[in-house]
Amino acid sequence: MATAPTLVRRGQSAWLLLVASAAVVLPLAAFGRHATPLPELMPAIVGDVLASAAIPGVIALSQYMLVRTGRMELSVVGVASLSSAVIGVNSAHGSAGTLVGLLAAALLALPFALISAFLAVKADIGYAMVAAVAVVLGAEQLVTEVAPENVNADAGLMTVLGAGTYVPVAFLVAAALFAGVAWCAPRQQAALATGTVGWVRIAFVLYVPAFLLAVLAGMLYTARVQAATPQGLGEKFVLICVLAVVAGGASLKAHRASLADVAVGSLFAGSFTTFLYAEGVSASRFNVYVAVACIAFILLDCLRLRRVPAVGTPPVGATV
């Protein structure tokens, strides 16, 4: 049936090509001034970019599931941070402990997912955003309770997940998760296209899988640093996650995103952070530069949107 005009992203294919090109150029520009010849550095450069892209990529993948609600669900970053601590502390007891920690983290993520879904559907966006920030802060506080000090997690499954020079294992896991979401997305859309969609259905079709992805992101982070730390993922991962979502052209205003958008955006986020580290940017300036990049991409997204007549209204929560 006919509906009001909808928003369309202009030049999205060209945009993806441009951002992907920037993801290639940035680290090469940073390391090109190194005394060591660039060909000898290529394995390390590729490995750093892919490893840096994997964790924010998985978190951005969870946001991709929720982008049709028109908001960023920041609480998934808090859940990822809490999961990294729970999994890391248990991983000190070997691979069996890692699996126990993964199960415990998944169970802890469930109430966060249900509360977030309820607020997203039932509450005003202002209340939902305040609640999301409260969840992030609460989860970060719980991290210090779970891991009051650094706990080594450098054995068993954590060692395997943290391995890989040319192609990190964490990146392969992230790629497999992207493939899994690509398989699930049409089925999620079909599940939300029939009848009246209540918050419970949205919760279990979209929010629970999205928060489970955050749990896996926390596990990959623990594997990368080989420890559970009181700092968790830190506030910078909130910004890097936003960058991974918006850099590829995913639009919160138009409620439009594709897996290609998130994949390219994640690679750009990994490339950009590798560039900043290679340039020796301090921690305080690091967050500023990432925040500026996020704002720039969001503004460019608004400028690229145009209104066109729509032929139908997709169901809330479905992916496009």
Side-chain angles (χ1 to χ4, degrees):
M1 62 181 178
T3 62
T6 188
L7 293 171
V8 172
R9 299 169 295 168
R10 291 178 289 184
Q12 180 59 17
S13 298
W15 179 262
L16 288 176
L17 180 61
L18 181 63
V19 174
S21 300
V24 174
V25 170
L26 280 174
L28 295 180
F31 287 97
R33 299 188 297 272
H34 201 278
T36 306
L38 193 58
E40 296 181 20
L41 293 174
M42 283 305 295
I45 295 173
V46 173
D48 284 345
V49 170
L50 296 182
S52 298
I55 300 165
V58 174
I59 297 177
L61 191 61
S62 71
Q63 300 288 357
Y64 161 76
M65 288 188 172
L66 309 175
V67 74
R68 288 298 300 276
T69 65
R71 66 189 69 174
M72 295 288 291
E73 189 57 63
L74 300 179
S75 54
V76 300
V77 181
V79 169
S81 188
L82 178 59
S83 299
S84 71
V86 172
I87 295 171
V89 168
N90 284 276
S91 294
H93 305 291
S95 297
T98 300
L99 296 177
V100 171
L102 182 61
L103 177 60
L107 292 175
L108 285 173
L110 184 59
F112 286 109
L114 295 177
I115 292 171
S116 296
F118 177 82
L119 291 173
V121 175
K122 297 292 187 180
D124 178 79
I125 188 170
Y127 291 115
M129 289 301 295
V130 169
V133 173
V135 168
V136 172
L137 295 177
E140 290 290 344
Q141 183 60 43
L142 286 174
V143 169
T144 61
E145 298 293 331
V146 174
E149 59 184 10
N150 288 349
V151 177
N152 289 333
D154 54 358
L157 185 58
M158 288 293 101
T159 302
V160 174
L161 291 174
T165 302
Y166 297 97
V167 181
V169 174
F171 176 78
L172 296 177
V173 173
L177 293 175
F178 268 80
V181 170
W183 181 84
C184 290
R187 291 156 180 80
Q188 290 175 315
Q189 183 172 350
L192 295 172
T194 57
T196 302
V197 181
W199 78 268
V200 175
R201 181 184 295 186
I202 292 175
F204 282 97
V205 172
L206 290 179
Y207 277 79
V208 170
F211 276 70
L212 291 179
L213 285 172
V215 171
L216 295 176
M219 181 176 68
L220 293 179
Y221 179 82
T222 301
R224 185 177 183 187
V225 301
Q226 298 285 284
T229 67
Q231 294 78 25
L233 271 69
E235 70 279 357
K236 72 177 182 179
F237 263 89
V238 176
L239 295 171
I240 297 173
C241 169
V242 174
L243 181 61
V245 173
V246 300
S251 177
L252 296 176
K253 185 174 182 179
H255 302 185
R256 294 288 186 271
S258 70
L259 280 174
D261 302 340
V262 178
V264 172
S266 299
L267 288 174
F268 178 84
S271 175
F272 188 64
T273 54
T274 299
F275 171 80
L276 294 180
Y277 285 130
E279 291 294 318
V281 174
S282 65
S284 57
R285 291 186 177 183
F286 183 100
N287 290 339
V288 172
Y289 290 150
V290 176
V292 169
C294 291
I295 294 172
F297 279 117
I298 291 171
L299 292 176
L300 288 171
D301 170 59
C302 293
L303 292 174
R304 291 194 306 126
L305 294 176
R306 66 184 178 91
R307 293 185 179 276
V308 297
V311 296
T313 302
V316 174
T319 55
V320 174

